Amino acid sequence: MGAANTPAYRGTAYVVFEELNLSAFGNRLPQISFEVFRPLADPDTAEGLVKAVTMIPASGEFTYATAPVKKTTGSGGATVAENLNAITDMRPTGRNTSVTIPAMRRAMNKAAGNDAAFAFKTGFSARALIGLLGNDNFSFKVSPNGSSFFDAIVVDRTNGQVELPQPIVLPGLNAAPPPPPSARTRTLPHRWGSPPRRQP
């Protein structure tokens, strides 16, 4: 019809069905109801003040609340948290707390050459890293400044062998002992009763 050929009867709305298949409705026009509304453009209304709406599925009504929100469940005054983890609250309370939780596993997947690790920071500057750092060996690294890191413990992914790249300082010593000629040694398998053989 076109806008030029449509009469402007205010308060009247037209609904046009094109090639509507009525077989699913017993070959009859189904009962249909409509709600027609128009937004108010006035600047002092909700329609005029709202600029955008962000919908976050399954996040919950109180996701961004800065304080715990709880609701009462059943009789007796029992409450359950609306915006906290469902596991019993384990925040420090000045006493030892024992909490039993079901078995669980969390996975972190990484692309080859990237890191999958936990970072421990002071003033947002990393001081320790634990995880897969740059390769697939499990390692512990520490840093004095957040930019340079030292390998403390490295666990070989292929055989589980533990390597200590840095010299070990025993209690009571002021400095680390001098390293062996090759910078490290490892103990080879030996028969029971015979002294272990060392290979540089």
Side-chain angles (χ1 to χ4, degrees):
M1 296 175 61
N5 299 320
T6 303
Y9 296 123
R10 296 188 180 276
T12 303
Y14 295 89
V15 178
V16 178
F17 298 95
E18 294 185 358
E19 300 181 3
L20 176 63
N21 188 354
L22 298 178
S23 59
F25 308 103
N27 293 324
R28 296 181 179 86
L29 190 66
Q31 294 184 358
I32 302 175
S33 61
F34 300 91
E35 181 180 0
V36 181
F37 63 94
R38 68 180 181 88
L40 300 176
D42 299 335
D44 58 344
T45 62
E47 290 84 354
L49 295 175
V50 174
K51 301 300 181 182
V53 177
T54 302
M55 303 298 293
I56 306 177
S59 62
E61 180 180 356
F62 306 104
T63 301
Y64 295 119
T66 57
V69 178
K70 297 185 178 182
K71 67 178 180 180
T72 303
T73 58
S75 60
T79 60
V80 62
E82 291 273 18
N83 61 340
L84 297 177
N85 195 299
I87 298 175
T88 304
D89 194 350
M90 293 182 289
R91 290 174 295 179
T93 58
R95 63 180 185 275
N96 294 330
T97 303
S98 177
V99 178
T100 301
I101 61 176
M104 61 181 177
R105 173 182 293 183
R106 295 293 181 264
M108 288 192 295
N109 189 45
K110 72 180 187 70
N114 291 344
D115 295 344
F118 290 100
F120 299 87
K121 299 184 177 183
T122 298
F124 298 100
S125 178
R127 291 295 181 266
L129 302 174
I130 301 175
L132 308 181
L133 302 167
N135 53 46
D136 291 339
N137 295 329
F138 190 76
S139 60
F140 294 71
K141 293 188 177 186
V142 293
S143 172
N145 51 25
S147 58
S148 59
F149 288 86
F150 298 95
D151 286 315
I153 302 174
V154 178
V155 182
D156 193 298
R157 70 184 186 279
T158 60
N159 53 27
Q161 180 175 327
V162 178
E163 179 183 343
L164 304 176
Q166 306 300 327
I168 299 176
V169 179
L170 300 176
L173 297 180
N174 295 326
S182 63
R184 65 181 179 181
T185 62
R186 65 187 179 94
T187 301
L188 299 177
H190 62 282
R191 292 179 299 174
W192 180 259
S194 62
R197 295 177 293 121
R198 291 188 176 274
Q199 174 179 308

